[in-house]
Amino acid sequence: MKVLVADSINQKGIDNLKEVADVVADTDITPEELLNTISEYEAIVIRSRTKVTREVIQRADKLKIIARAGVGVDNVDVVAATEKGIMVVNAPESTSITVAEHTMGMMLTAARKIAIADKSVKENKWEKSRFMGVELRNKTLGVVGMGRIGSQVVSRCKAFEMDAIVYDPYLPKEVAKQMGVQLADLETVLKEADFITIHVPLTPETKHLISTAEFEMMKEDSFIINCARGGIIDEDALFDALSNEKIGGAALDVYEEEPPKDSKLLDLDNIVVTPHIAASTKEAQRDAAIIVANEVIEVLKGGAPKNVLNMPVVDQKTYEEIKPYLELCKKLGSFVSQAITGQIKELEIVYCGELSEMANQDILTRTVLQGILNSVLIDPVNMINAPTIAKERGITITEGKTADAQRYDSLIRVKAISEKDEFSVEGTDLHEPVIIKINNYWVDVKPEGHMFISKYNDIPGAIGTIGTKLGECNINIGTMQVGRDIAGGKAIMILTIDQKIPDNVMEEVKNLDNVFDAVGLEL
Ligand code: NAD
């Protein structure tokens, strides 16, 4: 397994990778060299220098994962990676503490005028009365965006004996309660807070979230801090608010244009500025390298990483709950895909019992699709590109849920419909995948190895005829299950066999009297 480390990352991450893979650390690699060599690698680790473009991705035939040791992935063509089934991961949690600490630094620097006092002393001045500050104690912190960083800022501000009110319309009330913060609308936060700190992503919704009208609502001596993204605060409106002393001060780490060119803001005394360094600590870089190295290792071992940007995110608890069912989903998909006649057009997946209580079964559905498509396509399909490929192949997917799982904790039912046929299979996990129903027949089958399914008329001797034919052709039967709708009606036989049945033998079985279908499966 070959991993390319294309940008410089902390050595600890490289050392971890070296334990499982052949690591090439070429941190000066040029775009041309990357294009020419990317086909050799299964994983690439980058920071912000290396651009993983569509052209690079098209040539990356073995690549499974693009790992960004940091947060932003502006330098990766995520759409192209998704189409090719390549995971894109980052390490968003690596910088949370670092950015929260920088926010605290900015807050204290603004409140105590540390930056201009520092400048003054260095100019051999001693202007003690000019730098009268304010305490943080007993002040109200207004947090806009209570995610990873916002929540770390709140817990640090609690140590400073501040109260927190939060504007985050996506944060459930119960979670806010657990975090010990009060939720409020933006207007209330702006009107009541002494220190407002921004921790939302930059989206069309948050662009210029804080502009003239919002500055008008803020207290006269309040401070605003932005260590999130430039553009969330309207800088022209901020200049007006600061120069007309409508607010007490501001602190910015991020700007609408970076670096800020000819910005009037930089001439003001009541603003503290840093050059987008909120995430720049040795610890954050080390942690980012370790986190993405672990993600790469997980993928190379065939596991599932946790920070995949082009796949739905599940928390650790949910992942542990669904993990046993992933193998089952793959087997059910593969089984149905091989057993049905004709190309699948419609797919119904029903999650029964405990699995139906999960908020989202997307990963399971993706895994069923992966099982289906890998049985019919040469290019590997994974959880990332399975929905795109299914759509391209015109497969309509319906998902359902029901509390009824018969006598099991959970069941998954997969029904496929083609132009010529319908086939359904139900299974559960009993420490290993088990199929409990095929079409309407109850069975108890482990979907593994070489298998054979035959549909036949339930008449005396039919089972024997099939067994004899296989025996004559030297096919050894391991296990046999039969099921029927009514005595003398239609029946199904499922065999595990010791080898793949050759096509000519399959044809002979299909031509036997009373057999109306037979198919071999590889699971
Ligand atoms: P996060 O995704 O964990 O949290 C973002 C929070 O914002 C979520 O709770 C979300 O519900 C909330 N939110 C989204 N839209 C909102 C809206 N319209 N109004 C109110 N709340 C909204 O993200 P995070 O890791 O905490 O990062 C927060 C910000 O910090 C991001 O903008 C990120 O890019 C930035 N960041 C900056 C640096 C830096 O170097 N300055 C480093 C890392 C992260």
Side-chain angles (χ1 to χ4, degrees):
M1 288 180 292
K2 247 178 128 179
V3 177
L4 173 64
V5 177
D7 290 339
S8 103
I9 64 163
N10 184 281
Q11 189 59 34
K12 187 84 181 83
I14 298 182
D15 292 345
N16 288 1
L17 285 169
K18 278 187 177 162
E19 284 175 23
V20 297
D22 175 8
V23 179
V24 176
D26 185 356
T27 54
D28 294 323
I29 193 165
T30 64
E32 293 70 36
E33 286 166 346
L34 183 63
L35 266 180
N36 292 334
T37 55
I38 192 68
S39 60
E40 298 169 22
Y41 297 101
E42 280 169 75
I44 178 170
V45 180
I46 54 164
R47 284 181 62 209
S48 51
R49 185 193 73 97
T50 301
K51 309 242 174 308
V52 187
T53 59
R54 179 172 282 273
E55 211 184 346
V56 170
I57 289 166
Q58 273 163 352
R59 295 203 191 174
D61 287 336
K62 291 189 197 152
L63 203 64
K64 295 191 172 102
I65 176 168
I66 300 166
R68 159 77 164 99
V71 183
V73 284
D74 317 349
N75 51 330
V76 178
D77 190 329
V78 180
V79 174
T82 307
E83 284 167 13
K84 194 134 186 186
I86 300 169
M87 292 179 201
V88 181
V89 302
N90 66 350
E93 69 273 42
S94 62
T95 58
S96 305
I97 304 290
T98 282
V99 177
E101 287 189 2
H102 193 76
T103 305
M104 296 308 298
M106 295 295 253
M107 214 181 285
L108 288 163
T109 307
R112 303 303 302 270
K113 302 185 168 55
I114 293 172
I116 47 167
D118 170 85
K119 189 164 168 262
S120 159
V121 176
K122 285 175 181 165
E123 287 168 357
N124 291 318
K125 294 178 192 161
W126 197 252
E127 307 171 288
K128 284 181 72 148
S129 57
R130 190 180 153 207
F131 304 122
M132 183 63 67
V134 290
E135 285 187 352
L136 301 190
R137 185 177 56 148
N138 292 338
K139 297 293 185 321
T140 300
L141 174 75
V143 184
V144 179
M146 184 75 172
R148 282 177 291 257
I149 298 171
S151 51
Q152 292 296 342
V153 171
V154 167
S155 60
R156 276 146 190 80
C157 284
K158 281 189 179 162
F160 280 85
E161 300 177 51
M162 299 176 82
D163 292 323
I165 49 172
V166 169
Y167 170 63
D168 188 330
Y170 305 103
L171 187 73
K173 276 195 189 114
E174 312 77 66
V175 180
K177 203 172 162 194
Q178 278 166 15
M179 290 174 160
V181 292
Q182 184 197 328
L183 281 177
D185 56 25
L186 183 59
E187 192 174 331
T188 310
V189 169
L190 294 169
K191 284 182 174 164
E192 291 185 7
D194 302 294
F195 292 84
I196 293 163
T197 184
I198 311 288
H199 300 290
V200 289
L202 176 65
T203 62
E205 197 189 352
T206 61
K207 167 103 183 148
H208 288 185
L209 184 71
I210 309 294
S211 191
T212 308
E214 288 69 30
F215 285 118
E216 294 290 344
M217 291 180 206
M218 286 170 59
K219 287 184 182 175
E220 250 184 29
D221 47 2
S222 63
F223 293 85
I224 188 158
I225 297 110
N226 186 9
C227 291
R229 280 288 176 264
I232 299 167
I233 294 181
D234 175 348
E235 287 180 7
D236 288 335
L238 176 63
F239 178 78
D240 282 346
L242 288 172
S243 50
N244 297 321
E245 297 187 357
K246 283 184 194 155
I247 61 169
L252 298 186
D253 182 53
V254 287
Y255 309 86
E256 295 198 38
E257 186 188 2
E258 292 186 4
K261 273 198 216 117
D262 310 320
S263 171
K264 298 173 284 182
L265 286 170
L266 306 184
D267 299 329
L268 300 174
D269 268 354
N270 52 354
I271 186 167
V272 180
V273 286
T274 50
H276 203 148
I277 53 160
S280 304
T281 59
K282 289 179 184 165
E283 291 82 357
Q285 289 200 1
R286 179 204 56 205
D287 291 353
I290 294 172
I291 290 168
V292 293
N294 289 345
E295 296 279 58
V296 169
I297 291 166
E298 193 61 33
V299 169
L300 295 182
K301 280 185 183 162
K306 52 190 170 88
N307 291 320
V308 189
L309 295 168
N310 48 356
M311 223 175 68
V313 180
V314 289
D315 57 50
Q316 192 62 29
K317 184 172 164 283
T318 312
Y319 181 69
E320 292 304 325
E321 281 166 16
I322 61 170
K323 207 171 168 185
Y325 293 95
L326 294 174
E327 187 60 18
L328 172 71
C329 285
K330 225 182 265 178
K331 297 270 186 183
L332 292 178
S334 180
F335 199 98
V336 95
S337 166
Q338 295 178 66
I340 195 166
T341 312
Q343 194 179 327
I344 297 175
K345 290 282 161 217
E346 283 175 53
L347 194 65
E348 286 169 25
I349 308 174
V350 184
Y351 298 100
C352 317
E354 287 171 7
L355 284 178
S356 70
E357 290 160 22
M358 280 172 43
N360 186 334
Q361 289 80 11
D362 194 20
I363 292 213
L364 296 174
T365 299
R366 283 169 182 257
T367 314
V368 172
L369 289 175
Q370 191 187 349
I372 288 178
L373 296 165
N374 271 328
S375 307
V376 289
L377 297 176
I378 293 160
D379 287 340
V381 178
N382 59 23
M383 275 196 252
I384 313 287
N385 59 359
T388 318
I389 296 176
K391 200 169 164 201
E392 280 166 12
R393 295 177 65 84
I395 302 176
T396 326
I397 302 152
T398 326
E399 290 172 273
K401 293 183 200 183
T402 165
D404 179 15
Q406 315 278 340
R407 58 201 150 93
Y408 301 95
D409 294 338
S410 285
L411 269 185
I412 301 173
R413 187 181 310 142
V414 179
K415 179 177 175 186
I417 302 169
S418 73
E419 275 157 14
K420 303 179 186 158
D421 198 7
E422 252 186 49
F423 198 95
S424 79
V425 62
E426 279 177 44
T428 190
D429 177 76
L430 301 172
H431 303 295
E432 59 185 352
V434 177
I435 291 181
I436 56 124
K437 211 172 187 186
I438 295 176
N439 292 335
N440 287 323
Y441 309 108
W442 290 100
V443 295
D444 177 7
V445 175
K446 276 188 223 162
E448 61 187 15
H450 310 290
M451 298 188 77
F452 166 90
I453 300 180
S454 171
K455 295 175 197 162
Y456 59 98
N457 291 320
D458 180 38
I459 56 152
I463 295 173
T465 322
I466 298 170
T468 307
K469 172 56 72 188
L470 292 177
E472 280 170 10
C473 299
N474 228 8
I475 308 283
N476 197 32
I477 297 172
T479 63
M480 174 191 281
Q481 298 250 334
V482 289
R484 59 185 183 180
D485 45 12
I486 48 164
K490 302 269 185 264
I492 193 165
M493 171 193 288
I494 303 111
L495 306 179
T496 56
I497 44 184
D498 293 348
Q499 76 215 73
K500 192 170 184 251
I501 301 187
D503 292 347
N504 62 324
V505 176
M506 195 61 81
E507 279 312 303
E508 287 183 37
V509 175
K510 280 186 194 169
N511 289 335
L512 291 171
D513 284 348
N514 291 305
V515 171
F516 51 91
D517 200 9
V519 65
L521 285 76
E522 299 299 316
L523 289 146

